[in-house]
Amino acid sequence: MSQYVDDDRTMPRFRVNRRAMTDPEVFEKEKELIFNRSWLYIGHETELKKPNDFRTRNVAGRPLIFARDAKGQIRVWINSCPHRGAMLCRQPSGNARFMTCFYHGWSFSTAGDMVSMPGDASYGPDFERPGLAGPAKVDSYRGFVFVSFDHDIVDLPTYLAGAKEYIDLVSDMSEVGMEVLEGTHEYSCRANWKLLVENSYDGYHAMSTHQRYFEMVVAARGSLDAGAVLADSRAIDLGNGHAVAAGSAGSGSIFGRALSPEAEAEREARFERLRAKHGNAWVDRLNGSRNMVIFPNLVIIDLVMGVVIRKIDPISPDYMEVTAWELAPPDEGEELKRQRLDNFLTFWGPGGLASPDDVEALETCQRAYASAGELEWSDISRGMHKPTVATSDEFQMRTFWRRWNQLITGEELPPEEHEPLPEFWRAPRLELATEESVAAG
């Protein structure tokens, strides 16, 4: 048995040793064996609308420049001058043809080429003028841009595995392509980063932790049968440590305040147009909810009338920083957009009615881990014995932990066996649906 994971299929029981949340040696292993060897999210292409736009981001502890060069190509550079190491870009975002180091004045284009250096003649004609350095790999899928610092990592589509399908579901919600809205949620949490990974697709905590939010929803709607919605849901292993907690058709909006008749009509009209393109079954899935974690630290949540992109950055064993954005359809009307944003901001973010609850819960967990010598294990067993697993079970977290354990210890645990997914959860995306296929669903 791994010193960190107890995966007992006989009882059945699944436990995680709390040292995985507190031990500095574990944290150092995570940096080397997970974050240095995975594909990691840096940003969405729509954040860089014009040539020479840039954003600065930290990924796996490294300062990076996320940019679109003068020809429109997405680029990622290490935010460090090759001369003496000073940061080139010290602003979070901007637009500039050249990036000039304030220390000694070396200047580079957004394509990474050196364009000037003061006293150039002092270096001699044969001196190699260095350009900017970048990560080992940069690639994107449906506008989501990833980097990896591992030259030998598998290609991005292979790494994403079944997560590609759920990125498709999110990306297909617009007829013209989804875009990240201006504005960023930034907050921190004094807890281990893996606790927020678990929390991000944990349906079990929703009603108890977010009671005040659901009281507001019930008051606004008149009623809310959340139990039925959670029962008609699935937790799904997407491969390579990725997993999703997915809800059935209509579950994405039921947990928020109801839309006005006009806004609902506009939303339904867009879905009808999407049915003509992708088929009824795919759009029924699209009209559901999904809380997905792409291993190790990217969260994509489509719930409460908005899509959250959340990047979790481990800083120390008991401290993380969180950055989040909203992905939205730019082709919706102003009134629908207003009502969606109102729902989104009421629930999400450091000023919402839900995220502060989660931060408080995770920080109390971390403080309680001071007693890990007396209470050594956390239990993540819910649903192991069931033929099907819902979002209120903990299968999705066990999927994460089995991959984590494999990378940290080398021990590969067998996958968990449950009944095959019903047809609804397997409906394919159609590029161009015929009239007959739309009618058939």
Side-chain angles (χ1 to χ4, degrees), residues 100 128 225 244 278-279 312 325-326 387 390:
T100 301
E128 182 179 334
D225 191 356
V244 65
H278 297 306
I312 304 169
W325 305 266
E326 181 176 4

Side-chain angles (χ1 to χ4, degrees), residues 4-5 16-23 26-28 30-31 34-35 191-201 293 295-297 299 312-314 316-320 362 366 369 380 397 400-401 404-405 408:
Y4 303 115
V5 170
V16 172
N17 193 295
R18 293 177 177 179
R19 285 196 301 115
M21 311 293 191
T22 62
D23 190 340
V26 170
F27 186 72
E28 291 303 313
E30 289 175 338
K31 290 195 290 186
I34 295 179
F35 286 89
N192 187 270
W193 67 278
K194 298 183 291 298
L195 290 176
L196 185 55
V197 168
E198 292 180 352
N199 172 270
S200 295
Y201 48 11
V293 172
F295 189 93
N297 68 327
V299 180
I312 304 169
D313 291 310
S316 67
D318 60 356
Y319 182 75
M320 72 181 99
L362 304 188
Q366 194 71 38
Y369 293 162
I380 313 179
M397 285 83 93
F400 171 89
W401 277 107
W404 180 94
N405 184 68
I408 295 298

Side-chain angles (χ1 to χ4, degrees), residues 119-388:
D120 183 89
S122 299
Y123 287 91
D126 297 326
F127 180 76
E128 182 179 334
R129 274 68 174 167
L132 299 181
K137 300 283 182 72
V138 179
D139 203 354
S140 66
Y141 183 77
R142 298 296 300 269
F144 291 79
V145 182
F146 295 79
V147 301
S148 179
F149 304 101
D150 182 359
H151 289 275
D152 299 321
I153 196 167
V154 298
D155 62 84
L156 180 62
T158 300
Y159 181 86
L160 290 175
K164 296 196 303 294
E165 182 177 40
Y166 284 84
I167 294 177
D168 288 339
L169 282 164
V170 166
S171 300
D172 283 348
M173 293 177 67
S174 167
E175 297 170 90
V176 298
M178 299 284 277
E179 70 174 11
V180 169
L181 300 183
E182 288 292 332
T184 304
H185 285 156
E186 295 179 312
Y187 54 102
S188 60
C189 181
R190 295 192 177 280
N192 187 270
W193 67 278
K194 298 183 291 298
L195 290 176
L196 185 55
V197 168
E198 292 180 352
N199 172 270
S200 295
Y201 48 11
D202 171 16
Y204 190 20
H205 81 284
M207 300 307 294
S208 53
T209 306
H210 304 309
Q211 182 178 355
R212 61 179 182 149
Y213 173 79
F214 287 112
E215 287 174 351
M216 181 272 294
V217 172
V218 170
R221 284 182 169 269
S223 65
L224 175 64
D225 191 356
V229 175
L230 291 172
D232 190 17
S233 65
R234 290 292 185 275
I236 304 168
D237 182 351
L238 302 175
N240 294 333
H242 321 314
V244 65
S248 58
S251 59
S253 59
I254 196 172
F255 290 118
R257 290 190 294 273
L259 296 175
S260 67
E262 295 78 12
E264 186 65 44
E266 180 189 331
R267 187 169 178 267
E268 287 303 317
R270 173 154 38 92
F271 282 167
E272 286 305 310
R273 294 192 296 270
L274 290 172
R275 291 178 190 279
K277 184 176 182 180
H278 297 306
N280 287 337
W282 180 258
V283 176
D284 283 343
R285 290 181 64 191
L286 184 151
N287 193 22
S289 61
R290 59 213 117 248
N291 291 46
M292 176 169 65
V293 172
I294 296 178
F295 189 93
N297 68 327
L298 171 62
V299 180
I300 302 175
I301 303 177
D302 182 9
L303 187 70
V304 194
M305 289 296 296
V307 179
V308 180
I309 303 173
R310 175 187 290 164
K311 182 168 76 78
I312 304 169
D313 291 310
I315 306 300
S316 67
D318 60 356
Y319 182 75
M320 72 181 99
E321 294 178 347
V322 185
T323 313
W325 305 266
E326 181 176 4
L327 189 70
D331 48 331
E332 66 186 4
E334 285 301 315
E335 182 57 24
L336 175 55
K337 180 179 181 179
R338 185 193 67 77
Q339 293 181 40
R340 180 182 50 74
L341 281 172
D342 183 54
N343 267 301
F344 180 88
L345 292 172
T346 300
F347 190 85
W348 298 111
L353 290 178
S355 295
D357 296 337
D358 292 328
V359 170
E360 172 66 12
L362 304 188
E363 289 186 344
T364 64
C365 290
Q366 194 71 38
R367 290 196 297 271
Y369 293 162
S371 61
E374 292 73 33
L375 192 55
E376 189 175 4
W377 299 90
S378 290
D379 186 272
I380 313 179
S381 303
R382 183 176 168 91
M384 282 187 81
H385 73 290
K386 294 168 59 178
T388 63

